[in-house]
């Protein structure tokens, strides 16, 4: 754990501008900064041309925010995203300006103890109203659809695949971008064309696949199978760029390569552990969400930290 000290400095309980639960930041309220929006996990502040994204330790499952936070989660999401932004910038530019709080606007100085390690200054883009899901393995909603008719988002797949089977090549399966607590809906490529136009749709499909393939090869060398992930894109001064988070344990399924097998749900380094617990207690997936046991909280934190350690060393 000493290797992570600089990335994860100790937080002060009850620090000004945060709401903490045993050193877990559930919500920020940074007085003097203009709140742009508050998402399921991130609190975003407006600085004109730029936005400040602060990743809290909140966790959501089935599009519902849970009452408990996960230790270090927000920091892991920020550091992993920053790693992938740098690793794939030869394929597509990204919205990251800086993760160094010393280069943030002066108004942020008083909140450095909160922002260090879990925040990112980014360009303010016009985000596209779709999410770009790439699947390299058959899992989750894709597996359920395949069991019904051998398709995923309208794409016909070969017969005889098992749960978690690797696909012969990754597939692009977009979805709508949920607003105000609604659920994302899987759509086919033609439906995406109707939303954003053919030229842009084709461009982000190609870019999404290129980024996924490059990242997957790297992750495999680190003992992680990226079963699937989702990307978001935005436009900044006419330039297309990748935005939000990137290839994190929140937006991806990270499977443990050395224990991977088909016909089951492999061990993972993501929030599937939380989803599995919620399914086991037969939660109806509607608010309010139940409290998580301490064992589930701690195990999930360990999984997120292990993903960061393996990917970035």
């Amino acid at each position: 754990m000493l290797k992570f000290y600089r990335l994860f400095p100790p937080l002060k309980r009850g620090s000004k501008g945060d709401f903490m639960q045993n050193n877990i930041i559930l919500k920020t309220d940074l007085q003097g900064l203009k709140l742009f929006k508050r998402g399921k996990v991130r609190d975003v502040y407006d600085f004109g041309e730029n936005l400040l994204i602060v990743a809290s330790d909140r966790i959501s499952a089935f599009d519902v925010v849970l009452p408990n936070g996960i230790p270090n989660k927000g920091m892991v999401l920020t550091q992993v995203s920053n790693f992938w932004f740098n690793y794939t910038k030869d394929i597509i530019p990204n919205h990251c300006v800086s993760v160094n709080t010393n280069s943030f606007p002066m108004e942020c100085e008083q909140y450095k103890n909160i922002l260090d390690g879990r925040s990112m200054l980014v360009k303010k883009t016009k985000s596209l109203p779709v999410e770009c899901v790439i699947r390299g393995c058959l899992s989750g909603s894709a597996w359920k659809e395949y069991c019904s008719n051998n398709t995923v988002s309208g794409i016909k797949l070969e017969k005889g695949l098992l749960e978690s089977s690797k696909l012969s090549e990754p597939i692009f399966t977009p979805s709508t971008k949920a607003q105000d607590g609604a659920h994302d809906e899987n759509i086919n490529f033609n439906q995406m064309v109707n939303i954003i136009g053919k030229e842009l749709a084709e461009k982000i499909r190609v870019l999404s696949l290129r980024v996924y393939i490059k990242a997957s090869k790297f992750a495999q060398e680190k003992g992680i199978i990226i079963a699937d992930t989702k990307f978001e894109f935005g436009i900044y001064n006419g330039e297309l760029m990748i935005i939000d988070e990137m290839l994190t344990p929140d937006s991806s399924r990270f499977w443990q390569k050395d224990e991977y097998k088909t016909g089951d749900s492999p061990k993972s380094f993501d929030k599937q552990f939380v989803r599995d617990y919620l399914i086991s207690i037969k939660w109806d997936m509607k608010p309010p969400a139940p409290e998580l046991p301490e064992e589930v909280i701690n195990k999930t934190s360990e999984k997120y930290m292990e993903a960061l350690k393996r990917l970035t060393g």
Side-chain angles (χ1 to χ4, degrees), residues 40 60-64 128-135 141-142 145 153 173-188 191 195 228-232 244-245 250-253 271 275 285:
K40 292 186 183 76
S60 68
F62 308 109
D63 290 321
V64 179
L128 301 184
V130 292
E131 292 188 338
C132 299
V133 180
I134 304 293
R135 302 182 188 277
S141 62
E145 182 183 339
S153 293
T173 62
S175 71
T176 59
K177 191 180 293 186
Q179 299 294 328
D180 299 326
H183 292 276
D184 298 339
E185 293 184 9
N186 295 333
I187 56 177
N188 60 41
Q191 289 173 303
I195 296 172
D228 55 44
T229 193
K230 64 179 179 180
F231 302 121
E232 294 191 36
D244 196 60
E245 64 182 316
D250 262 20
S251 64
S252 317
R253 282 187 174 88
K271 63 181 177 182
R275 295 191 194 101
M285 302 179 194

Side-chain angles (χ1 to χ4, degrees), residues 84 214-226 311:
W84 289 120
K214 180 176 183 177
S216 290
K217 289 179 179 177
F218 177 87
Q220 286 257 8
E221 296 172 357
K222 303 297 183 179
I224 293 176
I225 296 171
I226 304 178
L311 291 172

Side-chain angles (χ1 to χ4, degrees), residues 80-96:
V80 169
S81 288
N82 186 51
F83 170 79
W84 289 120
F85 283 147
N86 283 312
Y87 188 72
T88 61
K89 63 185 179 183
D90 61 321
I91 298 176
I92 181 172
N94 58 74
H95 69 163
C96 182

Side-chain angles (χ1 to χ4, degrees), residues 224-288:
I224 293 176
I225 296 171
I226 304 178
D228 55 44
T229 193
K230 64 179 179 180
F231 302 121
E232 294 191 36
F233 292 85
I235 306 291
Y236 180 79
N237 289 340
E239 182 179 32
L240 180 68
M241 56 183 56
I242 201 160
I243 65 170
D244 196 60
E245 64 182 316
M246 187 176 187
L247 292 158
T248 70
D250 262 20
S251 64
S252 317
R253 282 187 174 88
F254 286 171
W255 290 345
Q256 193 167 323
K257 180 182 175 181
D258 58 5
E259 297 196 23
Y260 166 76
K261 62 180 180 179
T262 58
D264 199 358
S265 182
K267 290 185 178 180
S268 65
F269 302 112
D270 53 51
K271 63 181 177 182
Q272 188 60 43
F273 189 73
V274 172
R275 295 191 194 101
D276 290 344
Y277 166 75
L278 294 171
I279 291 171
S280 74
I281 62 171
K282 296 181 170 54
W283 175 48
D284 62 5
M285 302 179 194
K286 297 177 182 178

Side-chain angles (χ1 to χ4, degrees), residues 19-193:
F19 294 78
M20 301 184 69
Q21 165 198 297
N22 296 327
N23 282 347
I24 295 172
I25 293 185
L26 293 177
K27 176 183 176 184
T28 65
D29 184 14
L30 308 183
Q31 298 299 313
L33 306 189
K34 181 181 178 182
L35 185 66
F36 182 75
K37 69 175 181 179
R38 202 182 298 279
K40 292 186 183 76
V41 172
R42 291 165 179 79
D43 299 337
V44 184
Y45 295 87
D46 194 340
F47 286 90
E49 284 291 305
N50 295 327
L51 298 173
L52 179 68
I53 299 179
V54 185
S56 75
D57 296 319
R58 298 191 294 271
I59 189 167
S60 68
F62 308 109
D63 290 321
V64 179
V65 178
L66 306 182
N68 307 93
I70 304 298
N72 293 323
K73 177 175 175 287
M75 294 185 175
V76 170
L77 298 184
T78 301
Q79 302 297 334
V80 169
S81 288
N82 186 51
F83 170 79
W84 289 120
F85 283 147
N86 283 312
Y87 188 72
T88 61
K89 63 185 179 183
D90 61 321
I91 298 176
I92 181 172
N94 58 74
H95 69 163
C96 182
V97 175
S98 179
V99 293
N100 183 354
T101 53
N102 291 326
S103 63
F104 287 4
M106 183 177 59
E107 300 94 314
C108 301
E109 176 69 24
Q110 61 182 314
Y111 300 118
K112 281 188 68 174
N113 64 317
I114 299 170
L115 300 176
D116 274 342
R118 68 170 65 244
S119 57
M120 181 179 293
L121 192 67
V122 304
K123 297 170 183 175
K124 185 193 290 184
T125 68
K126 181 179 180 182
S127 63
L128 301 184
V130 292
E131 292 188 338
C132 299
V133 180
I134 304 293
R135 302 182 188 277
C137 301
L138 201 53
S139 188
S141 62
W143 166 243
K144 292 179 181 178
E145 182 183 339
Y146 175 80
C147 289
S148 299
N149 51 21
N150 287 348
T151 64
V152 177
S153 293
I155 301 171
K156 196 74 174 178
L157 300 180
E158 61 188 282
K159 295 182 179 180
L161 296 177
L162 302 175
E163 183 180 6
S164 305
S165 288
K166 293 182 180 179
L167 304 178
S168 57
E169 58 182 15
I171 58 175
F172 179 83
T173 62
S175 71
T176 59
K177 191 180 293 186
Q179 299 294 328
D180 299 326
H183 292 276
D184 298 339
E185 293 184 9
N186 295 333
I187 56 177
N188 60 41
F189 183 73
N190 289 333
Q191 289 173 303
M192 188 176 76
V193 168

